[in-house]
Amino acid sequence: MLRFGILSTAKIGRELVIPAIQDAENAVVTAIASRDADKARALADRFSVPHAFGSYDEMLASDTIDAVYIPLPTSQHVEWTIKAADAGKHVLCEKPISLKADEIDSLIAARDRNKVVISEAFMVTYAPVWQKVRALLHEGAIGRLRHVQGAFTYFNRDPGNMRNIASLGGGALPDIGVYPTITTRFTTGEEPLRVQAVTERDPDFGTDIYSSVKADFGSFEMSFYIATQMANRQNMVFHGTEGFIEVKSPFNADLWGAEELELTNQSHNQSQIFRFPGSRQYRREIETFAKCVAGEAVEVVTLENSKANQRFIDAIYRASEKDGWEKV
């Protein structure tokens, strides 16, 4: 059993990841840390976790854990991932693991010198619906892929929410722009060559709240938009010469709709629906990560993959400042 320590009492940990770890067959939460010892103890009691720490450093120094899950504000991800790795702990860090692609080099160095596993927590790459999309594309189910189209939006103007605080790494691109990019790269195995983009920032928060992006992958194009101040919507479509694949609830399965995809033929007179009820993508993420730590040959999100995805996001920011194409 891989023993996890949870570094903070953040909402995503409380509601999604801690339950997934406790549900996993090969992992368990043995410690929770917070800068507020009472909060750590309260959350530990809620999940019957034996150890609670009033500081992050204290937990990292403890022999009660083998790995750390980090759901801190984005601006703190690099710092605490390196500290955890230097303490000899494996690390599963929430996305985005960094706000700049170049910063990931320091994480790669920390991983290599400490011989630990460090992975960005892109739960979608472990979801069977996305693995099915990848299989269908590789099988040629829609012929030649010509265009990928995506949308991910929600509405949040809470000034106290970290997504609206620039100093904490807030913004639409770090929060949700990473999902259309990672899923397209994951399923196609291709990388973007250049991008065009328009980005809007909130006048009060200073964070990016909307981006419309066009990306050239060489053999196909991608267009998507993301926003943190629009009505809720999620959708991804992979359109080819012989048909198209539509992923109905691509990123928050079960919360925004069923975890399913529809494969439609060229004439639009026949379709197949693939459903994946109860797939528990967070549990799959945890179990795969634990297998990787144990030395099994499984696929996790590598830091090299994370760096490539962040290069895509970095290029979108740069493209937003100019008229025309920006090289990724």
Side-chain angles (χ1 to χ4, degrees):
M1 299 288 281
L2 183 66
R3 302 174 302 164
F4 269 94
I6 312 300
L7 209 150
S8 100
T9 57
K11 181 180 179 181
I12 189 172
R14 299 194 311 267
E15 296 190 358
L16 295 171
V17 179
I18 294 176
I21 297 173
Q22 300 294 59
D23 190 39
E25 293 185 354
N26 55 359
V28 64
V29 179
T30 55
I32 293 174
S34 171
R35 291 189 173 98
D36 184 326
D38 291 337
K39 285 185 177 180
R41 185 70 266 167
L43 190 60
D45 289 344
R46 172 179 166 184
F47 288 100
S48 300
V49 173
H51 304 284
F53 296 93
S55 84
Y56 302 152
D57 288 313
E58 187 181 1
M59 187 180 76
L60 293 181
S62 171
D63 61 3
T64 62
I65 63 169
D66 311 303
V68 176
Y69 167 66
I70 301 177
L72 291 167
T74 302
S75 60
Q76 301 175 33
H77 286 178
V78 170
E79 173 190 0
W80 285 100
T81 295
I82 292 173
K83 286 184 177 181
D86 285 343
K89 312 301 182 186
H90 305 284
V91 181
L92 181 65
C93 180
E94 262 311 320
K95 57 81 207 164
I97 201 167
S98 171
L99 290 166
K100 294 288 184 182
D102 290 347
E103 293 179 344
I104 296 176
D105 290 335
S106 64
L107 302 182
I108 293 172
R111 176 197 65 189
D112 294 347
R113 70 172 173 264
N114 294 294
K115 294 179 172 54
V116 295
V117 176
I118 300 177
S119 184
E120 190 172 13
F122 275 119
M123 77 292 184
V124 287
T125 63
Y126 305 93
V129 67
W130 281 110
Q131 292 171 358
K132 183 65 174 177
V133 172
R134 180 164 68 173
L136 289 170
L137 291 177
H138 288 193
E139 291 165 9
I142 61 170
R144 176 191 167 197
L145 177 64
R146 296 299 309 273
H147 195 93
V148 178
Q149 185 179 45
F152 191 175
T153 62
Y154 63 81
F155 197 96
N156 178 354
R157 288 212 80 246
D158 175 8
N161 189 293
M162 64 160 284
R163 293 164 183 80
N164 295 320
I165 302 174
S167 62
L168 296 182
L173 281 165
D175 187 38
I176 54 178
V178 293
Y179 282 114
T181 57
I182 191 72
T183 51
T184 299
R185 295 178 51 254
F186 173 76
T187 53
T188 65
E190 302 293 335
E191 298 291 345
L193 305 176
R194 55 182 185 161
V195 297
Q196 292 179 335
V198 174
T199 295
E200 178 186 343
R201 292 183 180 271
D202 186 282
D204 299 318
F205 305 144
T207 53
D208 55 287
I209 59 171
Y210 171 85
S211 285
S212 177
V213 181
K214 179 180 179 180
D216 174 17
F217 278 75
S219 61
F220 67 91
E221 288 188 332
M222 179 190 189
S223 61
F224 71 92
Y225 65 91
I226 50 106
T228 56
Q229 293 183 27
M230 288 177 66
N232 293 5
R233 183 171 185 239
Q234 292 186 14
N235 189 252
M236 287 288 287
V237 178
F238 296 77
H239 203 151
T241 56
E242 303 297 323
F244 64 89
I245 300 165
E246 182 175 6
V247 187
K248 300 300 181 66
S249 180
F251 311 121
N252 295 114
D254 297 329
L255 295 177
W256 294 54
E259 186 171 355
E260 68 177 40
L261 65 85
E262 185 171 3
L263 170 64
T264 302
N265 69 351
Q266 185 186 66
S267 301
H268 207 273
N269 59 13
Q270 185 180 60
S271 67
Q272 294 174 272
I273 294 176
F274 299 86
R275 292 193 177 96
F276 304 90
S279 73
R280 294 183 287 188
Q281 58 186 356
Y282 285 96
R283 173 179 168 169
R284 290 172 181 267
E285 174 183 64
I286 295 301
E287 291 181 341
T288 306
F289 179 83
K291 289 176 181 178
C292 183
V293 169
E296 295 187 36
V298 293
E299 181 182 9
V300 298
V301 179
T302 65
L303 288 176
E304 288 76 11
N305 189 347
S306 295
K307 184 175 180 180
N309 205 64
Q310 189 59 43
R311 276 201 302 263
F312 196 167
I313 300 298
D314 291 351
I316 293 170
Y317 276 120
R318 295 196 306 272
S320 299
E321 302 298 323
K322 63 185 290 187
D323 182 16
W325 291 103
E326 173 68 21
K327 185 177 179 180
V328 177

